[in-house]
Amino acid sequence: MSKLTLMTEGDKHVVVTRRFAAAPEAVYRAQTAPKLIQKWMLGPDGWTMPVCVCEARPGGKIRYEWADGKGGGFYLTGEFVELVPFSRIVHVERMHLPDPCPDNHVETRFERDADDDANDTARCPNAGGHAGERHGTRDGSELRPARGHGLSIQASAQRMGSQQC
Amino acid sequence: MPNLDAAFSALADPTRRAILARLALGEATVMEIAEPFSMTQPGVSRHLKVLEEAGLIVRRIEGTKRPCRLAPSAISEIDRWLDKLRQALAKNYDRLDDVLAGMQSKKRKGRR
């Protein structure tokens, strides 16, 4: 579970990478199931996401609404472009503050660590989450111009890690 | 913070960013700053004015010269602001760690 890294690629791309102690399947689910998204995609302390629409299919709508509990808030809308279960999500999104910012194009990749043995989880069900277990997930994001205009985020990818018992 | 709008607007120009990069090496006069750019001194002076008004550089008077240097406090204010974003993003993923751990233990319970 490395801390996240933020790297720029040229002037307009940002790549975010993060590893998680879980399988790519789980990280993918946590990124596409509204009930799970509402538990973590909250930004600074004190914020909640009272509305979470996430239709995880090509053309499906995204709408996240955040609230600070003091009457403040903002929202994001988007559309899914492509989904490859447990491995890749491409979507477009924009913040409304309340005026919409230019579209961000985001590609999220979920990848298992190279040294991971996918079967380990099944073989050692008791090791979960403890010291003997290492799972990683990587998250990549980049910003690139949306149709030659504005910025677009690209990619949050998750790569799944390894496990040793 | 002096003025984030002015600071980011000043930074939104590649020549001004190059000037700041030059000043990161130390104090310089307008002539020294203008040297690597195919730009007239008045052109550079205009950029310096924008940077000064945004609080990113300070200038002192030395005879007829007005050497410029970075205003480190303004730079660190920008950095602090960016760091807030970085922290918020990091916090999301720390929370996601907990969600994933919860999913895992639930699954394990289900198996029993």
Side-chain angles (χ1 to χ4, degrees):
Chain A
M1 279 185 280
S2 64
K3 289 297 137 194
L4 75 88
T5 59
L6 267 174
M7 304 234 297
T8 52
E9 247 179 41
D11 277 358
K12 286 164 182 166
H13 292 80
V14 174
V15 179
V16 179
T17 304
R18 176 70 151 76
R19 300 173 112 153
F20 297 94
E25 290 77 5
V27 183
Y28 183 96
R29 278 218 298 137
Q31 198 99 20
T32 49
K35 286 223 153 55
L36 297 174
I37 292 170
Q38 283 173 302
K39 288 184 184 171
W40 67 271
M41 206 186 281
L42 305 173
D45 282 336
W47 287 75
T48 58
M49 190 194 286
V51 174
C52 179
V53 176
C54 181
E55 303 170 353
R57 51 176 168 75
K61 299 269 178 245
I62 298 168
R63 185 182 176 99
Y64 302 147
E65 292 184 22
W66 288 278
D68 68 357
K70 300 172 214 154
F74 62 97
Y75 66 101
L76 173 153
T77 59
E79 299 80 38
F80 283 104
V81 177
E82 188 189 341
L83 296 102
V84 182
F86 316 133
S87 112
R88 193 171 114 95
I89 299 173
V90 180
H91 78 275
V92 181
E93 65 175 40
R94 66 212 62 92
M95 295 268 187
H96 300 256
L97 303 162
D99 295 330
C101 69
D103 282 1
N104 290 321
H105 291 236
V106 184
E107 180 192 11
T108 308
R109 290 197 307 268
F110 305 78
E111 293 168 17
R112 195 173 295 274
D113 278 350
D115 59 346
D116 187 28
D117 180 342
N119 294 320
D120 269 347
T121 321
R123 275 197 264 116
C124 47
N126 293 322
H130 297 351
E133 196 171 331
R134 252 176 57 237
H135 275 289
T137 301
R138 238 188 237 170
D139 199 5
S141 260
E142 50 183 274
L143 288 163
R144 70 148 67 138
R147 314 196 166 183
H149 197 90
L151 287 179
S152 33
I153 302 178
Q154 246 229 349
S156 285
Q158 271 122 15
R159 174 172 297 189
M160 244 313 278
S162 66
Q163 199 169 351
Q164 287 164 352
C165 300
Chain B
M1 174 88 226
N3 184 345
L4 268 183
D5 289 352
F8 278 108
S9 152
L11 287 170
D13 179 280
T15 304
R16 288 199 285 270
R17 289 198 299 276
I19 292 173
L20 290 177
R22 164 65 186 86
L23 293 176
L25 305 174
E27 195 176 65
T29 63
V30 177
M31 221 193 299
E32 288 165 339
I33 294 168
E35 210 189 335
F37 300 104
S38 51
M39 197 184 289
T40 60
Q41 279 193 30
V44 170
S45 288
R46 268 196 297 279
H47 282 305
L48 292 175
K49 189 159 179 266
V50 175
L51 290 169
E52 191 179 12
E53 281 170 1
L56 293 169
I57 64 168
V58 288
R59 309 181 73 172
R60 62 188 178 85
I61 296 170
E62 190 187 271
T64 56
K65 290 180 191 157
R66 297 197 58 206
C68 310
R69 60 187 165 80
L70 284 186
S73 62
I75 309 283
S76 48
E77 286 289 354
I78 293 173
D79 201 38
R80 266 199 287 279
W81 187 82
L82 290 174
D83 193 53
K84 268 195 243 168
L85 299 187
R86 209 178 289 129
Q87 297 294 338
L89 189 57
K91 210 152 223 175
N92 272 355
Y93 289 131
D94 291 346
R95 271 190 293 258
L96 180 50
D97 284 335
D98 296 341
V99 170
L100 292 167
M103 288 163 72
Q104 222 156 33
S105 63
K106 220 176 184 177
K107 201 163 138 196
R108 208 160 291 129
K109 258 182 215 156
R111 260 188 217 143
R112 271 179 207 137

